Amino acid sequence: MSTIKKNILFILALLCLGECIAQNAVQDFKMINNTYVKNELLSMDIEYIYYQDENSKIATETKKGSFKKSGKNILSSLIGITTIQNERYMWMIDNENKVIVVSKPKISFDMTMISSIDSMLKVCSSVDFKELSKKEHSYQLNFNKNSDNYKSISVIYNADTYFLNNITISFREPVLTDVNNEASVKKIPKLKIQYSNINTKPNLSSISFSEQKYFEVKDQKIFGKGQYKEYTFINNILANEK
């Protein structure tokens, strides 16, 4: 697993606010979340840029991905994992390890990670707001020393549309520059996530969200199709029926 893939797992709750955050910040983050929720059709490109040293201008690793949405249908390609959802199933494809996890679909799919506003109340020390331009605003969330992973998270968004432009995560603790060599130098890393080519009227075919070329389900058993016959399938359908 690549360094960027390991670090991106930390963003699952990255846009949460604290008691220290002013009410206008809370409202702005809710507006961002609502923007992604209300648009039934949506597509965008996403780029993950990892820096071993937060002070460096040269990226160590870059990963490109995308996100598409048509109602409750989802197609995302992020950090080597493809996730597809339709009205019947949600499946996550790990081509590197040839594994597909199949589950029942989620009611909603929060791509922005902004919905859990209250969960970091106790670890946020301050928040700085900047009006970078008339169309671009930013918040920097600064975390106190009780926060295990993050030193700060900077969020830049379009002040007119409330779509995200980019997110920058500064980690607190230094890590090995070579994960396979414990004698290597330790640096504090930084991860930047950029959003571009946002389209609220994409032409998306229903075939893009179909499981037909991947697998079929018979009597709660999953059978791979074509090249995916050789993949290992993890069946979470029954576990998610509650």
Side-chain angles (χ1 to χ4, degrees), residues 190-225:
K190 179 175 69 177
L191 178 64
K192 187 173 184 178
I193 308 167
Q194 293 191 154
Y195 304 86
S196 61
N197 298 322
I198 297 172
N199 186 353
T200 58
K201 295 181 180 180
N203 184 15
L204 301 176
S205 170
S206 60
I207 297 175
S208 302
F209 308 101
S210 174
E211 77 280 1
Q212 290 183 5
K213 79 172 185 178
Y214 300 96
F215 62 89
E216 61 180 339
V217 179
K218 293 181 179 179
D219 299 324
Q220 300 295 345
K221 293 183 180 180
I222 299 174
F223 301 90
K225 288 185 172 183

Side-chain angles (χ1 to χ4, degrees), residues 111-149:
M111 190 264 141
T112 67
M113 318 305 171
I114 304 178
S115 59
S116 302
I117 293 176
D118 298 324
S119 64
M120 285 191 178
L121 293 178
K122 295 181 181 179
V123 294
C124 176
S125 59
S126 65
V127 171
D128 300 324
F129 172 80
K130 288 184 179 179
E131 186 174 322
L132 304 176
S133 69
K134 289 184 177 180
K135 291 190 174 183
E136 196 171 59
H137 293 175
S138 75
Y139 282 101
Q140 179 166 310
L141 285 65
N142 303 303
F143 298 98
N144 62 38
K145 294 181 179 179
N146 294 326
S147 175
D148 292 335
N149 298 317

Side-chain angles (χ1 to χ4, degrees), residues 149-180:
N149 298 317
Y150 313 123
K151 182 168 58 179
S152 67
I153 295 174
S154 173
V155 179
I156 298 177
Y157 63 98
N158 187 304
D160 290 335
T161 66
Y162 283 91
F163 277 115
L164 295 170
N165 290 347
N166 63 71
I167 299 167
T168 301
I169 305 171
S170 294
F171 294 91
R172 184 172 299 281
E173 298 296 332
V175 299
L176 295 172
T177 52
D178 182 353
V179 294
N180 298 314

